[in-house]
Amino acid sequence: YRLIFIALLIGTSCSSSESPNESVAIVAAEEQSGKVEVVDSNEFEKLMKAEGVTLIDVRTDGEVAEGIIPGAIQIDISDFSDFEKKINNLNKDGKILVYCKVGGRSARAAQYLEQNGFREVYDLKGGYLAWEEAGKQIEIPNK
């Protein structure tokens, strides 16, 4: 009998301390926040064709002058206060595609977007260089 009592005592003390309402709130919060998906250039190109997509190039003016993915808007992440201001004007429920030169800055940008309520964020694996290497379309902006 002593073993049964100890087993019951351990079983009840190890049960979850969350109330049912707390569990529901946690699940709801997890569903509201998005998740960043890192995709290759082929998948990125497919996503670009969807309705209501925002394509963001987070590189500097000098980098963009050498070429940009058609349809992209430049929001340079190196000027973070300007980046933050411009990002907050975007639709948080739409698809956001982001890229930089090789993937580091866009990963930070994508994480920032996800943490600030954007639901669908996609980051181009390998960045602009991978896009260019795959032979995808680029354009040189007018100077």
Side-chain angles (χ1 to χ4, degrees), residues 2 22 41 43 56 89 92-93 98 112 122 132:
R2 187 181 280 168
E22 287 173 0
S41 57
E43 184 65 24
I56 303 170
N89 291 322
K92 292 186 176 192
D93 293 322
V98 63
Y112 174 83
Y122 300 88
E132 197 174 32

Side-chain angles (χ1 to χ4, degrees), residues 44-139:
F44 199 79
E45 187 174 43
K46 287 178 194 169
L47 290 164
M48 286 171 52
K49 296 174 183 172
E51 191 73 29
V53 168
T54 302
L55 177 58
I56 303 170
D57 184 326
V58 299
R59 299 176 301 152
T60 65
D61 290 343
E63 290 170 303
V64 169
E66 296 175 13
I68 191 169
I69 297 175
I73 57 170
Q74 180 199 14
I75 306 178
D76 183 354
I77 195 168
S78 65
D79 180 355
F80 192 74
S81 63
D82 186 56
F83 173 82
E84 190 174 31
K85 190 182 334 172
K86 289 177 180 174
I87 289 299
N88 287 325
N89 291 322
L90 300 176
N91 177 7
K92 292 186 176 192
D93 293 322
K95 279 185 175 66
I96 305 288
L97 281 62
V98 63
Y99 71 93
C100 63
K101 186 173 183 175
V102 294
R105 289 171 287 175
S106 62
R108 288 194 311 275
Q111 183 178 29
Y112 174 83
L113 289 162
E114 184 269 329
Q115 290 171 346
N116 284 277
F118 289 83
R119 298 176 60 85
E120 275 191 86
V121 181
Y122 300 88
D123 184 11
L124 176 58
K125 182 179 183 178
Y128 181 80
L129 292 182
W131 179 267
E132 197 174 32
E133 189 174 293
K136 304 292 184 186
Q137 184 179 359
I138 63 164
E139 60 186 32

